[in-house]
Amino acid sequence: MDLELRDKVAVITGGSVGIGLAVAEGLAAEGVHLALCARDEARVVQKAKEIAGQSGVRAIGVRADVSKAEDIERFVAIVEKEFGGADILINNAGTGSGETIMDSTDEKWDYYMDLHLMAAVRLTRALVPFMRKRGGGVILNNASICATQPLYYEPIYNTSKAALAMFSKCAANEFIKDNIRVNLINPGLILTPDWVKTAKQLTQGTDTTWEQYLDKIAKDNAPIGRFATPEELAHFFVFMCSPRASYCVGSSYYVDGGWLKVIT
Ligand code: NDP
């Protein structure tokens, strides 16, 4: 199937590792040029170089902390200078939290709302004018199954991702008249390096290996009984960016191996 993505331009936040990197590689394989951002400049610049070298697309890596409005402004200015705008925006950067409501601070709530919600709001406002000029576009917001099925140990993560879900729906309604399709993707257990690092830390000096630890999490939660690879999830992102997904608008798509316990 030709996904008709050649020579489009995609902006991906958190494109230097894990899910964002896999989506970047998947889009590059379809001929999409890339503007990636992350806080660790050396890593994101290096990954962009590697992708450009492997697939022949143009790819840039930019240091930007998307929880900060000024960094987003600077990133978008670079995207405009290098590519004249973008056709695709993937709001992906994010991370788990870990607290109780009673021990949470206003500062922590503010940070996660900036990272998970306001980054998407600000990037959407900045890039939609370019998409309109190009005749349309795609915005994919990467939330989490936790946006609807919360994990007990991270209420801030759950709540900020739920806010992103509602923003996504509102944006879909507002922008479809401009031929801009907005959708939300809710992954379940995706085996990124961060999961491996955590598992190694938690099992150090115990009788359980990190692999056994992760295997138990998968078997306890997802009916499929395993984690997905970032690439398995990225295939779905790439399809959703394509005009082949032209009737997909304003929805939340779960890629979770059956973990969601209800029908929606
Ligand atoms: P990783 O930790 O592997 O990667 C996160 C990426 O985001 C990195 O490129 C990181 O680079 C970047 N990043 C983090 N904070 C910021 C910031 N403030 N500004 C700019 N870039 C930032 O995460 P995953 O790939 O696992 O997760 C990606 C998204 O998917 C997240 O939003 C997460 O909530 C969601 N998700 C993940 C699941 C999973 O099982 N892995 C399940 C459900 C949802 P750097 O550190 O250099 O900034």
Side-chain angles (χ1 to χ4, degrees), residues 145 149 151 153 188-189 195 213-227 256-261:
I145 190 173
Q149 184 171 279
L151 282 169
Y153 57 82
L189 295 168
W195 268 108
Y213 173 84
L214 291 177
D215 193 51
K216 179 163 168 28
I217 289 183
K219 294 217 159 46
D220 284 352
N221 292 292
I224 200 169
R226 65 171 178 85
F227 277 71
D256 67 352
W259 187 9
L260 187 70
K261 290 189 171 53

Side-chain angles (χ1 to χ4, degrees), residues 3-253:
L3 293 180
E4 300 171 30
L5 285 169
R6 185 154 298 282
D7 288 328
K8 299 285 185 200
V9 174
V11 167
I12 306 178
T13 69
S16 60
V17 70
I19 295 168
L21 175 61
V23 173
E25 289 169 340
L27 286 172
E30 296 298 320
V32 176
H33 308 292
L34 300 170
L36 313 178
C37 81
R39 293 163 304 176
D40 179 338
E41 185 170 26
R43 183 167 63 175
V44 74
V45 167
Q46 177 60 29
K47 288 297 167 191
K49 261 192 202 145
E50 284 171 19
I51 292 173
Q54 281 155 13
S55 57
V57 300
R58 283 189 64 208
I60 59 167
V62 176
R63 181 191 56 77
D65 180 339
V66 294
S67 71
K68 296 181 176 153
E70 60 274 19
D71 278 25
I72 289 181
E73 225 172 279
R74 192 173 43 80
F75 179 42
V76 170
I78 293 169
V79 170
E80 181 176 12
K81 184 164 162 270
E82 296 290 327
F83 296 103
D87 307 282
I88 296 165
L89 166 62
I90 314 275
N91 287 308
N92 164 75
T95 191
S97 53
E99 63 282 316
T100 64
I101 292 169
M102 291 309 286
D103 71 22
S104 64
T105 61
D106 281 6
E107 289 71 27
K108 191 168 183 185
W109 280 97
D110 286 346
Y111 176 74
Y112 276 85
M113 292 305 275
D114 275 335
L115 176 61
H116 291 152
L117 175 65
M118 291 313 296
V121 173
R122 291 170 176 143
L123 279 159
T124 298
R125 282 193 312 229
L127 292 175
V128 158
F130 296 113
M131 293 180 183
R132 282 179 172 148
K133 276 190 202 145
R134 289 162 178 250
V138 170
I139 300 175
L140 294 180
N141 295 312
N142 186 10
S144 166
I145 190 173
C146 297
T148 51
Q149 184 171 279
L151 282 169
Y152 73 92
Y153 57 82
E154 49 184 356
I156 296 182
Y157 181 78
N158 303 328
T159 306
S160 56
K161 290 291 191 174
L164 177 62
M166 182 52 85
F167 169 69
S168 206
K169 186 68 181 167
C170 295
N173 290 339
E174 185 166 329
F175 300 126
I176 191 58
K177 66 176 182 331
D178 302 308
N179 192 32
I180 298 169
R181 294 186 297 105
V182 185
N183 285 287
L184 185 83
I185 298 181
N186 288 331
L189 295 168
I190 315 299
L191 193 51
T192 53
D194 205 38
W195 268 108
V196 175
K197 194 175 98 193
T198 307
K200 282 182 177 166
Q201 280 165 358
L202 292 177
T203 53
Q204 202 174 22
T206 72
D207 293 339
T208 311
T209 66
W210 65 268
E211 290 95 337
Q212 287 168 336
Y213 173 84
L214 291 177
D215 193 51
K216 179 163 168 28
I217 289 183
K219 294 217 159 46
D220 284 352
N221 292 292
I224 200 169
R226 65 171 178 85
F227 277 71
T229 65
E231 291 71 28
E232 276 182 286
L233 174 61
H235 293 315
F236 186 66
F237 272 80
V238 172
F239 171 73
M240 289 298 292
C241 290
S242 163
R244 300 289 182 167
S246 52
Y247 208 62
C248 299
V249 177
S251 283
S252 302
Y253 296 93

